[in-house]
Amino acid sequence: MSVLNTEGLKAYYIIDVLGEKRYVRAVDDVDLEIRENEIYGIAGESGCGKTTLIKTLFGMVEPPLNVMDGKVKYKMNAEYADIFAMDNKRMREIRWEYISYIPQGSMSVLNPVQKVRYSFEHFIKAHRRIRNKEEEFIKPVERHLQALGLPVQILDSYPHQLSGGMRQRVTVALATVLQPKIIIADEPTTALDVVMQRGVIQLLKDVQSSLKNTIIMVTHDMGIHANIADRIGIMYAGKMIEEASTEEIFGNPLHPYTQYLIGSLPKIGDKSYKTSAPGAPPSLINPPEGCRFYPRCDRATDECKAAIPKLVEIEPGHKAACFLYSGVKEDE
Amino acid sequence: MSSKLIEVNGLTKVFRVGSLFSRVRLTAVDNVSFDIKDADIYTLAGESGSGKTTVSRIILGLLEASEGEILYKGKNIMNIKSEREKKEFRKDVQAIFQNPFETFNPLRTVENYLYETQKNFLGVDASDSIDGIEQALTAVGLTLDDVKEKYPSEFSGGQLQRISIARALITQPSLLIADEPVSMVDASLRMSIVNLFKELKDRYGLSVLYITHDLATAYYVSDKIAIMFRGNIVEKGSVEKVLDSPKHPYTKMLKESIAQPDPRDKWDSRVDLHLTEREEYMLKGCKFAGRCPHVMERCRTEEIPDFDIDGVTVKCLLYQ
Amino acid sequence: MAVLRELLRDGKFTFAFTVMSILIILAILSFFSPYDMSIWNVVPRDMPPSAEYILGTNSKGQDVFWEMTVAIKNSLIMAVIAAFFSRLIAIAVGLLAGFKGGMTDRTLMSINDSFIVLPVLPILILLGAILKERLNMIVLGLILAIFGWAWDARLIRSQTLSLREREFTNTAMLSGQKVYELIFKEYLPFVIPIVSATAINNMFWAVGMEVTMAILGLSNLTIPTLGTMMHWAISYQAMLLGYWWWIATPVVVSVLLFVSLYLLSVSVSQYLDPRTRIQRIGTAKVVK
């Protein structure tokens, strides 16, 4: 059962440079089906549109970002609701309660001049009417922190008194305090040290297994994906090019880009020669026509230059967008 | 037996932090010693705040050390006063930086830096000869036409890092200091940069001081490694010995914490997280004592000396 | 030329540029003035605008149109001098303080802060009263320059401080650049936008100061400027007597000058902003 769907989602940045309009095709025709009770990883390199994709999934669409086409649907009360058809009030209500967001830098969520307690209070009051503070606010928050293995004392400290990893974990606690059905995490471990990264990932896993909800996790770090994700979608130049279970992505990558990506990952204890894909990712302002990867692909044919391959199921549960496996084109 | 190219002895850097009234002395680099041989890739690894970048900045002369000496080809570079000698050293020891998008001025074309480096160190004007520049660019897989009249914003991170390396190669240095050169480069291009270090070492006998937090690429590329923690080198030796069978409890924990890109190799245990960085710097004795599973009373009070054990140097009383 | 063409795509700039061009042409016309503005009663007094006297004549017996052209010329010259010299001081102080840091920075910034807190208007009134007849446009421009650099020097200093921390400073040093090369090649391109945007603001301020002083009767009233024109018109009760053309001319010209300087400063600083510049540098084709 899917909990979040997109259909032909296109989200472009429109940049006006002194009267000249430019379109940055950050998310270009993406279909997603994210299931209940899974951790879905979105992988890709910087500038491939993965952050834009999750911003759009969260409904955080502000100029210069514009949704050009397509739908994002949440499953609520057994029905699918298109979020772009909702008014702002409804959007505010479901945000954090139904779907929440863990941003890259924790400082944008925690108020730097107030104690952590204040952030929690502010957050909960926006969604719940609190009559009895002790019963309805303090105790549930403390229970929540204890369940996540965080010390309750952090409520009385200021964000700058906590280490970066602790702040990030507080952000996770804050994003999950209303027990959302979907959690979107944008590079939650970037800029943290490896030990801290592990702490944050451990926490996210704990949250997911206790709430049985869905986590959509974006990171460029394939090691993190290998450790936490159930399924992984690989993005390249604004398009989803492969999607499969974590074991399949690492063990049997189909798309040439994914093969390069997986093949180039260094591991401790392995000194064998590894190469990168040649060339560099294309600009999203004028991406190559046809398959976006063909200029860097050593198996490209004339067909790849002419048409865009569609993301289709090649093996059960394993989708790829490549003419090596299927001739299905995107209709444009 | 190859000779020592650079030898760092007892390097210490103390920062004074805090406000005027509550000054705290923070020893960011504490009595660090290591040496790099010719045609050697030496990794200085550690988490943020371990002091690894401070070491590189001191070697490059961008920061002044509080104590210690750096011998480059047998000569203490801390005593260099004359401009001519400084230039000579800078010609021999070049560097590339972490953020390729910040390495070049966004308002200038990148080729300028190539011409300037050639002119200032080799005295060759670009109008007379660009052979050196072309050679350097060829070494990193680019041509002058690729970079001509282009601004940094027109390149990808990987390309910029290549240009940055090419610029450093123009002076034909003996040592290249690379501070987190791939952490901002995309995964699909990362290995091409790392492979470049190997190639340059094999082809030109270049030594590289590779500073990173990424033990996986360190294992892949380097010959020797030193693990830094809160200003100390806690373990150093050949990369296989240190990372295949780590001895220091910190190295062990660091290795276990890496998310291996292999779903068959997931974490199975749990971690405890630690005190803040500042508190650990302030610890007497071993800085890891607060988290170490094998901690003894002496670890907290004594200055820990280095112990040599099967070819690896470890700063831990367990190996006394 | 290409720069101008790009700038002209901006409506604000086009308007300001047109107005400014007209004002400059008028200022140039002053060199062809048939009358000497230091002599009174060369034309009939108090004539309303007509074919012969486009903007009428005033009670001093001077042609208002030609007086206006000379006034624009003088006011602009004064403003340009003030802006130019204050920029020179601001760049020198800002770059030096920001790059050198330490003692140099502290000394320069304490001088700088003293200039920021000095009450400019009372000092100008005092100077005006002392110098009076000896105060020509060049001297006034220089005096205003001395009082007009401090804020911008602080701005340039903080910009330089942040530039010094950026990685390309290290790359430049490793490329063997000397300190002066570093400042001119690496930092100046970032500082120039601040300088040019604030230069226009500074001109704006200088013209305003001159008008204030002249209306108070504290500048050399024998030189026609936008301020002294207003001063004479007011002291001859032009408004009361219905000689609207005499008072309206300097007021309208001043307003046009202020508005166009403001719009120029807005669109030029937008154009020169390093961030938008970097976007433009990455020239790519327009899709769709």
Side-chain angles (χ1 to χ4, degrees):
Chain A
M1 277 302 280
S2 76
V3 65
L4 188 151
N5 282 337
T6 70
E7 290 164 17
L9 187 65
K10 284 186 183 176
Y12 294 176
Y13 291 92
I14 302 180
I15 301 172
D16 192 334
V17 185
L18 288 161
E20 185 186 349
K21 273 205 174 139
R22 295 206 187 129
Y23 296 85
V24 180
R25 304 169 167 206
V27 175
D28 208 3
D29 222 337
V30 168
D31 294 324
L32 276 180
E33 246 189 63
I34 292 168
R35 298 172 193 156
E36 279 173 10
N37 194 10
E38 76 166 345
I39 300 183
Y40 186 85
I42 299 175
E45 42 207 349
S46 58
C48 73
K50 57 190 192 301
T51 293
T52 312
L53 174 63
I54 55 167
K55 270 189 187 164
T56 317
L57 294 185
F58 192 56
M60 262 193 317
V61 182
E62 275 161 21
L65 181 61
N66 287 272
V67 172
M68 312 298 281
D69 200 5
K71 286 181 177 141
V72 174
K73 289 178 178 170
Y74 297 166
K75 184 187 163 200
M76 285 188 296
N77 308 324
E79 274 177 45
Y80 289 94
D82 181 3
I83 62 163
F84 299 123
M86 287 179 199
D87 56 14
N88 284 336
K89 187 169 162 282
R90 181 83 184 111
M91 229 19 237
R92 266 201 305 279
E93 280 167 15
I94 61 170
R95 247 179 225 166
W96 309 113
E97 261 211 281
Y98 177 78
I99 183 164
S100 74
Y101 181 70
I102 301 166
Q104 210 171 103
S106 49
M107 283 322 249
S108 53
V109 183
L110 301 174
N111 185 334
V113 296
Q114 296 274 11
K115 287 181 178 169
V116 171
R117 175 185 300 281
Y118 169 87
S119 294
F120 274 92
E121 200 175 326
H122 184 80
F123 206 77
I124 294 176
K125 271 187 182 161
H127 290 276
R128 307 264 157 89
R129 187 179 290 256
I130 297 175
R131 283 181 222 93
N132 181 341
K133 200 172 169 185
E134 182 66 29
E135 279 302 315
E136 290 177 66
F137 167 64
I138 296 176
K139 279 197 179 159
V141 168
E142 286 183 355
R143 264 202 306 277
H144 180 63
L145 289 179
Q146 274 161 359
L148 298 183
L150 297 175
V152 176
Q153 296 90 294
I154 56 161
L155 284 175
D156 288 311
S157 36
Y158 290 93
H160 66 86
Q161 293 172 318
L162 305 171
S163 70
M166 183 57 94
R167 275 203 298 267
Q168 192 64 17
R169 290 192 296 156
V170 169
T171 315
V172 173
L174 193 63
T176 51
V177 70
L178 297 171
Q179 311 206 327
K181 286 292 287 172
I182 307 171
I183 301 168
I184 293 178
D186 183 10
E187 302 265 8
T189 58
T190 312
L192 294 180
D193 283 326
V194 282
V195 183
M196 280 297 176
Q197 280 187 359
R198 195 172 161 188
V200 171
I201 293 304
Q202 192 171 287
L203 181 61
L204 279 171
K205 264 181 152 169
D206 291 352
V207 166
Q208 200 273 333
S209 56
S210 70
L211 292 179
K212 299 266 177 289
N213 62 358
T214 300
I215 296 182
I216 303 172
M217 163 103 167
V218 162
T219 175
H220 65 275
D221 187 336
M222 294 307 287
I224 301 284
H225 281 304
N227 264 283
I228 188 169
D230 298 316
R231 286 196 305 147
I232 297 177
I234 309 277
M235 267 188 99
Y236 183 79
K239 289 192 171 291
M240 199 57 86
I241 54 145
E242 185 158 3
E243 185 190 84
S245 69
T246 305
E247 286 72 23
E248 276 285 296
I249 288 284
F250 282 91
N252 179 28
L254 293 178
H255 198 284
Y257 172 72
T258 317
Q259 288 171 352
Y260 270 119
L261 192 67
I262 301 295
S264 72
L265 296 169
K267 283 176 212 157
I268 291 182
D270 175 11
K271 279 212 145 183
S272 65
Y273 185 73
K274 309 210 180 284
T275 50
S276 302
S283 140
L284 294 174
I285 294 179
N286 48 356
E289 280 172 29
C291 173
R292 303 262 158 109
F293 189 64
Y294 92 80
R296 300 173 70 189
C297 183
D298 54 6
R299 286 189 272 169
T301 60
D302 287 343
E303 191 185 14
C304 305
K305 286 178 206 173
I308 304 176
K310 194 170 171 60
L311 185 69
V312 287
E313 197 157 53
I314 308 290
E315 293 161 18
H318 196 149
K319 291 181 186 173
C322 181
F323 289 133
L324 288 174
Y325 307 100
S326 114
V328 186
K329 295 170 188 165
E330 266 186 22
D331 33 61
E332 267 202 338
Chain B
M1 195 61 195
S2 56
S3 62
K4 283 174 188 171
L5 180 66
I6 191 165
E7 199 177 340
V8 175
N9 286 327
L11 197 69
T12 301
K13 174 73 187 175
V14 180
F15 286 111
R16 284 178 180 76
V17 293
S19 66
L20 199 59
F21 301 105
S22 61
R23 281 281 164 97
V24 178
R25 285 162 54 93
L26 199 87
T27 312
V29 176
D30 188 5
N31 196 10
V32 160
S33 306
F34 62 95
D35 53 77
I36 305 174
K37 297 185 172 55
D38 284 327
D40 215 4
I41 299 183
Y42 196 100
T43 296
L44 210 52
E47 297 178 277
S48 62
S50 62
K52 55 190 194 303
T53 295
T54 311
V55 171
S56 78
R57 305 238 144 178
I58 293 172
I59 297 176
L60 281 173
L62 302 173
L63 265 180
E64 240 172 83
S66 309
E67 265 174 68
E69 58 172 14
I70 298 170
L71 302 177
Y72 180 73
K73 292 185 176 166
K75 196 168 166 192
N76 191 350
I77 56 160
M78 307 265 235
N79 301 332
I80 292 184
K81 288 283 178 292
S82 81
E83 277 301 317
R84 195 184 53 80
E85 277 179 298
K86 266 187 196 161
K87 203 167 161 184
E88 204 56 29
F89 175 71
R90 201 150 266 181
K91 185 180 160 204
D92 235 26
V93 178
Q94 278 284 341
I96 62 170
F97 301 106
Q98 173 170 16
N99 186 346
F101 300 99
E102 276 281 305
T103 300
F104 300 104
N105 189 332
L107 301 179
R108 301 183 72 209
T109 54
V110 290
E111 57 183 329
N112 272 315
Y113 290 93
L114 306 178
Y115 300 144
E116 278 163 13
T117 306
Q118 180 178 268
K119 175 119 210 319
N120 292 330
F121 288 107
L122 310 176
V124 182
D125 208 276
S127 53
D128 296 333
S129 165
I130 48 162
D131 294 349
I133 294 173
E134 287 201 315
Q135 251 175 26
L137 283 168
T138 313
V140 301
L142 291 167
T143 63
L144 194 54
D145 284 336
D146 292 335
V147 300
K148 246 195 172 129
E149 287 164 29
K150 281 191 180 164
Y151 289 90
S153 56
E154 294 174 72
F155 296 100
S156 72
Q159 282 173 312
L160 283 173
Q161 204 57 286
R162 282 165 183 275
I163 300 168
S164 180
I165 295 171
R167 190 208 59 76
L169 292 180
I170 290 172
T171 66
Q172 302 185 334
S174 312
L175 177 64
L176 180 70
I177 297 179
D179 188 355
E180 298 273 12
V182 294
S183 70
M184 310 277 285
V185 175
D186 287 323
S188 76
L189 303 173
R190 197 167 282 177
M191 293 319 282
S192 64
I193 303 287
V194 175
N195 284 334
L196 205 50
F197 293 140
K198 277 190 165 175
E199 271 171 51
L200 293 171
K201 173 194 136 176
D202 294 341
R203 203 169 336 145
Y204 303 106
L206 179 75
S207 293
V208 180
L209 176 59
Y210 178 54
I211 293 163
T212 187
H213 67 278
D214 178 4
L215 295 185
T217 53
Y219 187 91
Y220 176 74
V221 71
S222 49
D223 303 306
K224 293 232 173 93
I225 190 167
I227 308 282
M228 281 191 81
F229 178 66
R230 304 283 181 248
N232 290 127
I233 290 182
V234 294
E235 186 164 354
K236 65 185 173 197
S238 82
V239 72
E240 287 88 355
K241 278 189 178 156
V242 170
L243 291 182
D244 284 340
S245 51
K247 297 205 164 45
H248 196 282
Y250 173 70
T251 318
K252 283 183 188 163
M253 187 200 63
L254 197 62
K255 189 190 164 192
E256 278 168 21
S257 301
I258 296 169
Q260 284 277 31
D262 187 346
R264 289 163 302 181
D265 192 9
K266 289 189 191 178
W267 293 314
D268 40 16
S269 60
R270 299 181 68 88
V271 281
D272 285 332
L273 294 151
H274 56 78
L275 308 163
T276 66
E277 197 175 289
R278 179 80 68 83
E279 284 165 32
E280 283 191 331
Y281 267 117
M282 293 302 149
L283 292 179
K284 265 192 195 164
C286 180
K287 312 276 196 252
F288 192 59
R291 284 190 269 164
C292 182
H294 312 289
V295 65
M296 298 177 275
E297 202 41 50
R298 288 167 57 206
C299 301
R300 300 184 199 272
T301 50
E302 283 177 26
E303 186 96 354
I304 316 289
D306 288 341
F307 299 102
D308 287 318
I309 176 161
D310 44 293
V312 174
T313 308
V314 193
K315 206 184 224 16
C316 181
L317 290 176
L318 290 176
Y319 300 95
Q320 198 169 2
Chain C
M1 264 308 113
V3 176
L4 190 64
R5 215 176 306 128
E6 255 186 88
L7 273 167
L8 281 172
R9 270 195 264 148
D10 186 6
K12 291 195 292 286
F13 182 84
T14 314
F15 174 78
F17 184 74
T18 317
V19 173
M20 210 54 194
S21 311
I22 294 171
L23 290 177
I24 289 169
I25 290 167
L26 287 174
I28 293 168
L29 272 184
S30 71
F31 294 105
F32 306 100
S33 166
Y35 313 108
D36 179 350
M37 285 303 147
S38 61
I39 305 168
W40 291 22
N41 297 324
V42 288
V43 290
R45 288 197 274 170
D46 305 332
M47 302 289 284
S50 65
E52 194 177 358
Y53 309 111
I54 306 168
L55 291 171
T57 66
N58 63 23
S59 305
K60 299 190 290 171
Q62 290 170 321
D63 184 309
V64 173
F65 175 80
W66 292 107
E67 188 185 15
M68 176 195 75
T69 60
V70 178
I72 294 172
K73 180 194 81 181
N74 283 334
S75 287
L76 279 179
I77 286 176
M78 187 273 311
V80 168
I81 288 174
F84 179 76
F85 285 98
S86 64
R87 279 338 68 191
L88 281 190
I89 306 173
I91 293 175
V93 171
L95 283 175
L96 200 64
F99 188 77
K100 283 274 173 194
M103 203 52 206
T104 321
D105 182 28
R106 280 197 292 278
T107 316
L108 286 174
M109 280 306 110
S110 60
I111 298 173
N112 184 87
D113 293 344
S114 316
F115 271 91
I116 287 178
V117 296
L118 277 183
V120 182
L121 196 61
I123 292 177
L124 285 180
I125 289 173
L126 197 70
L127 283 172
I130 297 168
L131 293 172
K132 200 82 186 175
E133 301 302 316
R134 275 167 291 168
L135 194 66
N136 61 29
M137 284 300 108
I138 295 170
V139 175
L140 183 62
L142 290 175
I143 291 173
L144 288 174
I146 289 172
F147 292 102
W149 58 271
W151 275 114
D152 306 329
R154 247 200 185 285
L155 219 62
I156 292 168
R157 168 187 171 267
S158 55
Q159 171 81 308
T160 313
L161 275 179
S162 78
L163 288 172
R164 204 177 58 164
E165 294 303 316
R166 286 177 66 175
E167 208 77 282
F168 62 74
T169 301
N170 290 329
T171 310
M173 276 155 93
L174 290 174
S175 305
Q177 283 186 20
K178 296 183 184 62
V179 171
Y180 70 89
E181 286 177 302
L182 186 72
I183 288 179
F184 281 101
K185 289 184 184 164
E186 307 287 331
Y187 295 170
L188 215 53
F190 284 90
V191 168
I192 289 294
I194 310 183
V195 170
S196 37
T198 58
I200 299 173
N201 285 337
N202 197 262
M203 286 173 69
F204 190 98
W205 170 80
V207 173
M209 273 297 172
E210 191 274 328
V211 170
T212 314
M213 286 178 69
I215 289 178
L216 293 173
L218 287 165
S219 67
N220 188 343
L221 298 174
T222 57
I223 303 172
T225 65
L226 293 173
T228 55
M229 269 182 91
M230 285 186 225
H231 175 85
W232 287 116
I234 293 165
S235 54
Y236 272 81
Q237 311 284 348
M239 203 91 106
L240 210 65
L241 297 169
Y243 308 147
W244 57 267
W245 55 91
W246 189 8
I247 185 84
T249 302
V251 170
V252 170
V253 170
S254 305
V255 169
L256 284 175
L257 184 62
F258 284 140
V259 169
S260 62
L261 280 176
Y262 170 73
L263 291 179
L264 276 183
S265 126
V266 170
S267 63
V268 167
S269 60
Q270 197 183 0
Y271 177 80
L272 288 173
D273 178 6
R275 267 167 310 177
T276 54
R277 256 180 99 184
I278 291 161
Q279 277 185 7
R280 260 200 323 281
I281 285 168
T283 34
K285 265 181 259 153
V286 190
V287 290
K288 267 203 175 172

